[in-house]
Amino acid sequence: MPSYSPELFLFGLGLLLVLTVLAGSLSSRFGLPALLGFMALGMLAGSDGPGGIRFNDYMLAQTLGVLCLVFILFSGGLDTQWRAVRRMALPAVVLATAGVMLSAGVVALAAMWLLDFSPLQGFLLGSVIASTDAAAVFAVLRHSGLSLRDDVRSLIELESGSNDPMAIFLVGAALLLMSVAGASPLSLVPDFLLQMSVGAVVGFGVGAGLPLLLRRVHLNVGGLSLVISIAAAMLAYGVAGVLGGNGFLACYIAGIVAGTREFPQKRTISLFQDGLAWLAQVVMFLALGLLVYPAQLPDVTVPGLAVTAALMLVARPLSVFLCLAPFRGFDWRAKLFVSWAGLRGAVPIVLATFPIVAGIEGAQAIFNIVFFVVLVSSVIQGPTLGWLARRLGLDEKPAG
């Protein structure tokens, strides 16, 4: 293994980060999610590209991805204006749970029919790509200058911020069923209830404790409050995991709860966590891009397009229209836009590393298909979100 001096390593890392941000900004100018620029640079810097960086440590990438998601979800919760979006909590929770399961099931059936996958392989693939990405959606909307209808914006924000735990649970369930002979799906129900309830309780506790601690402890150095905020995100994930709960749900709820309370340097902490979340996205997408061998992607073009079509045109619309049917406030236009706004991002790619680490047969093909689906759905859906919102009359121009 070649050795590098600290100076050369830091120079290379700094240069990669700067180039990644520039690539993300460039992709945003064309109405594409910044994640495409991040991943594209990672692919160019990888072993198949001119950069020649050989990186195939899926365990390290998985660990790095989990750590980055902790800060992304905590920051997302902290920035959520709960008083403005709380009336959308129930439909968002239905979409984030039942909607994710429906999407995973439809994609599983499509994979069995179109790709000759086994039921469990199809279920695994469907679970991996079932969750949506809030950062990708809102980055596109902000760049397009779109003022989306409040209820639709709140629904998308809450759903995409809270649907990762269900997808993660489903992936874990699929891996368990594939690796443990005789495991029953019904035996997973108590585990699911435990994970969600413990994650919610821990998240609420940490989110309420952070403002209380900052109010009670008078820190002589202002920067220490930023350290406390980092610790809060880590504690939410770690404590929930130790107690058998869902750490990602705990992080998101901790951020939401903390954001509803007043505490010293709240604005500074929010800005710091936003910057940390962006750094996490850059690092995560860069690492995931390095994992991909572009030369292998043509082999999954046909199955990737088939899965993308099933996800975009059948699974996502069906889950949205069915889950929102009881909520009369959403007409067909809102449902259609929410269906099209289901961009995929980092979480499916991170989850696609789990089967590889677990040694599941065909895991590399699933990883390549998932990566292909994320790329194609971003290229197709990202640039058309603003246009579709205007065509459907969901763009609310500010008064005056």
Side-chain angles (χ1 to χ4, degrees):
M1 182 176 179
S3 59
Y4 302 99
S5 68
E7 295 83 3
L8 185 59
F9 174 78
L10 291 177
F11 169 76
L13 182 59
L15 183 61
L16 268 180
L17 290 178
V18 170
L19 292 176
T20 304
V21 172
L22 293 178
S25 300
L26 181 62
S27 63
S28 296
R29 293 193 179 192
F30 293 95
L32 298 170
L35 66 90
L36 286 178
F38 299 159
M39 289 191 297
L41 188 67
M43 294 167 67
L44 289 173
S47 56
D48 268 3
I53 299 175
R54 182 168 294 278
F55 179 71
N56 58 1
D57 191 333
Y58 288 90
M59 176 65 79
L60 177 59
Q62 178 181 306
T63 303
L64 185 63
V66 168
L67 180 62
C68 290
L69 287 173
V70 165
F71 294 110
I72 291 171
L73 289 172
F74 182 75
S75 174
L78 198 61
D79 288 339
T80 298
Q81 303 298 319
W82 177 248
R83 291 178 179 84
V85 304
R86 61 184 176 184
R87 61 193 180 90
M88 293 294 109
L90 183 57
V93 168
V94 173
L95 268 181
T97 52
V100 169
M101 287 191 287
L102 280 171
S103 291
V106 172
V107 172
L109 292 174
M112 292 165 58
W113 179 44
L114 298 173
L115 309 181
D116 199 28
F117 273 29
S118 69
L120 285 178
Q121 286 177 323
F123 176 49
L124 177 60
L125 176 61
S127 301
V128 165
I129 61 173
S131 64
T132 59
D133 187 275
V137 174
F138 288 107
V140 172
L141 293 180
R142 282 195 296 269
H143 183 77
S144 65
L146 189 69
S147 179
L148 196 61
R149 207 172 80 186
D150 286 342
D151 59 339
V152 177
R153 174 178 288 273
S154 298
L155 176 65
I156 295 173
E157 181 177 356
L158 279 178
E159 181 228 350
S160 54
S162 58
N163 61 12
D164 296 339
M166 173 57 77
I168 293 165
F169 172 80
L170 292 178
V171 170
L175 293 176
L176 177 65
L177 295 173
M178 296 178 77
S179 57
V180 178
S184 170
L186 293 178
S187 66
L188 302 174
V189 175
D191 185 49
F192 169 75
L193 296 176
L194 176 67
Q195 283 194 32
M196 296 302 156
S197 58
V198 171
V201 171
V202 171
F204 184 88
V206 173
L210 173 63
L212 181 63
L213 178 63
L214 291 175
R215 286 198 300 265
R216 294 285 183 87
V217 179
H218 300 287
L219 300 174
N220 295 326
V221 181
L224 291 177
S225 62
L226 307 181
V227 178
I228 296 295
S229 71
I230 293 175
M234 291 180 171
L235 284 171
Y237 181 84
V239 173
V242 169
L243 297 178
N246 190 292
F248 294 106
L249 180 62
C251 290
Y252 186 61
I253 291 180
I256 290 178
V257 173
T260 62
R261 289 158 167 75
E262 293 300 324
F263 51 88
Q265 302 190 58
K266 180 178 180 180
R267 177 63 177 167
T268 302
I269 289 176
S270 179
L271 288 173
F272 171 75
Q273 286 291 336
D274 182 61
L276 189 60
W278 272 108
L279 175 62
Q281 288 190 62
V282 170
V283 171
M284 180 168 55
F285 283 121
L286 179 61
L288 293 174
L290 287 172
L291 280 179
V292 175
Y293 291 83
Q296 297 178 0
L297 292 183
D299 295 335
V300 298
T301 298
V302 174
L305 289 174
V307 173
T308 303
L311 178 65
M312 289 170 47
L313 304 179
V314 183
R316 175 67 178 177
L318 182 63
S319 63
V320 169
F321 275 80
L322 287 178
C323 290
L324 295 184
F327 303 99
R328 302 300 181 186
F330 297 102
D331 56 16
W332 68 269
R333 297 174 305 146
K335 294 174 185 175
L336 181 60
F337 182 80
V338 173
S339 301
W340 195 247
L343 272 69
R344 268 54 188 176
V347 174
I349 303 176
V350 172
L351 291 179
T353 64
F354 282 60
I356 295 178
V357 174
I360 299 298
E361 183 180 357
Q364 185 63 55
I366 290 177
F367 179 87
N368 290 338
I369 289 174
V370 170
F371 194 89
F372 187 91
V373 170
V374 171
L375 288 179
V376 173
S377 65
S378 298
V379 169
I380 295 176
Q381 292 173 285
T384 57
L385 275 179
W387 172 84
L388 181 62
R390 295 185 183 93
R391 292 285 295 177
L392 295 175
L394 300 176
D395 182 18
E396 292 187 344
K397 298 297 183 184

